[in-house]
């Protein structure tokens, strides 16, 4: 009986040492060592239940599966982060359209806004408002085809924030619902957050990649 106890204790000690070196817990080798010790030291008059062995094998397979899954997820996350960084870096210097209907008037040149029309408009105009919501300008566009369009305005005060809306109608006078987009030039990639974002001229805060609707040029 003493020899049996010593053998089992030695196997348990080995597994414990392995677990200490591996903070994640027991490995598959630890499971096998414990199972071998259990089979070797079992009581002949009361052998190990085969179902218990099957359960232990299942536990080992589960542990291996979880470890493999965690490794795969980590690999996927690392690959996605690298792809996002590459995508973001490729936009530096480009003029982009992004979610939003506001812009900050640049110190030189004209402000640019963008919009999308699901169908052609016989007439369209852009209404521009200041930070208080007061309308300060109307920019006529005339007939506009379906798709992404842009407008330019140089009547604002440099450094001030403005918003805009687009009113459009087809030849029958029916309203065409326009989706407004802010625009700007991507100046750099911001890595201060958990995922890369873009610093865009005319925007007061970094813009997530998911907010970019299209690349207009650059």
């Amino acid at each position: 009986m003493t020899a049996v106890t010593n053998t089992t204790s030695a196997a348990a000690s080995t597994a414990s040492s392995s677990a200490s070196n591996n903070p994640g817990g027991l490995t598959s080798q630890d499971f096998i060592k414990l199972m071998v010790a259990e089979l070797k030291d079992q009581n002949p008059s009361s052998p190990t239940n085969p179902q218990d062995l099957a359960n232990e094998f299942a536990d080992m397979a589960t542990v291996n599966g979880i470890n493999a899954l965690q490794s795969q997820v980590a690999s996927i996350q690392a690959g996605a982060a690298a792809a996002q960084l590459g995508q973001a870096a490729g936009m530096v210097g480009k003029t982009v359209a992004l979610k939003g209907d506001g812009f900050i008037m640049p110190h030189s040149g004209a402000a640019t806004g963008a919009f999308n029309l699901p169908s052609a408009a016989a007439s369209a105009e852009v209404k521009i408002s200041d930070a208080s919501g007061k309308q300060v300008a109307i920019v006529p566009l005339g007939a506009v085809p379906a798709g992404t369009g842009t407008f330019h305005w140089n009547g604002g005060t440099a450094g001030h924030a403005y918003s805009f809306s687009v009113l459009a109608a087809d030849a029958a006078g029916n309203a065409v619902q326009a989706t407004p987009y802010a625009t700007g030039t991507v100046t750099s990639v911001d890595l201060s957050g958990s995922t890369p974002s873009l610093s865009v001229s005319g925007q007061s805060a970094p813009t997530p990649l998911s907010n970019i609707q299209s690349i207009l040029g650059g």
Side-chain angles (χ1 to χ4, degrees):
M1 182 63 69
T2 301
V4 171
T5 302
N6 289 341
T7 304
T8 305
S9 297
S13 176
T14 301
S16 175
S17 175
S18 177
S20 298
N21 295 329
N22 175 21
L26 296 176
T27 66
S28 57
Q29 284 74 21
D30 296 326
F31 271 102
I32 292 173
K33 288 176 181 178
L34 289 172
M35 290 173 64
V36 169
E38 181 180 359
L39 290 173
K40 183 177 180 180
D41 302 331
Q42 63 183 321
N43 188 339
S45 63
S46 180
T48 302
N49 189 327
Q51 183 59 51
D52 292 339
L53 287 176
N55 291 339
E56 290 179 11
F57 274 115
D59 290 340
M60 183 173 65
T62 298
V63 170
N64 285 338
I66 291 174
N67 290 338
L69 179 60
Q70 289 176 335
S71 177
Q72 290 173 352
V73 169
S75 176
I76 291 171
Q77 289 176 333
Q84 286 184 330
L85 182 57
Q87 182 183 13
M91 292 186 186
V92 174
K94 304 289 186 180
T95 299
V96 296
L98 56 147
K99 290 180 181 179
D101 60 358
F103 56 86
I104 296 175
M105 195 70 190
H107 288 272
S108 60
T112 300
F115 56 90
N116 181 272
L117 294 177
S119 59
S123 63
E125 62 181 18
V126 178
K127 291 187 176 182
I128 300 174
S129 302
D130 62 18
S132 69
K134 178 183 177 181
Q135 182 176 306
V136 295
I138 294 179
V139 181
L141 300 178
V144 180
T148 300
T150 60
F151 69 90
H152 306 283
W153 179 61
N154 58 5
T157 302
H160 285 218
Y162 297 88
S163 61
F164 69 93
S165 59
V166 179
L167 301 181
D170 60 20
N174 299 312
V176 178
Q177 187 65 45
T179 301
Y181 297 142
T183 67
T185 300
V186 178
T187 58
S188 63
V189 178
D190 189 294
L191 300 176
S192 60
S194 58
T195 57
S197 57
L198 302 173
S199 294
V200 181
S201 62
Q203 301 300 307
S204 59
T207 299
L209 283 174
S210 58
N211 279 1
I212 303 300
Q213 303 301 303
S214 62
I215 297 176
L216 301 177

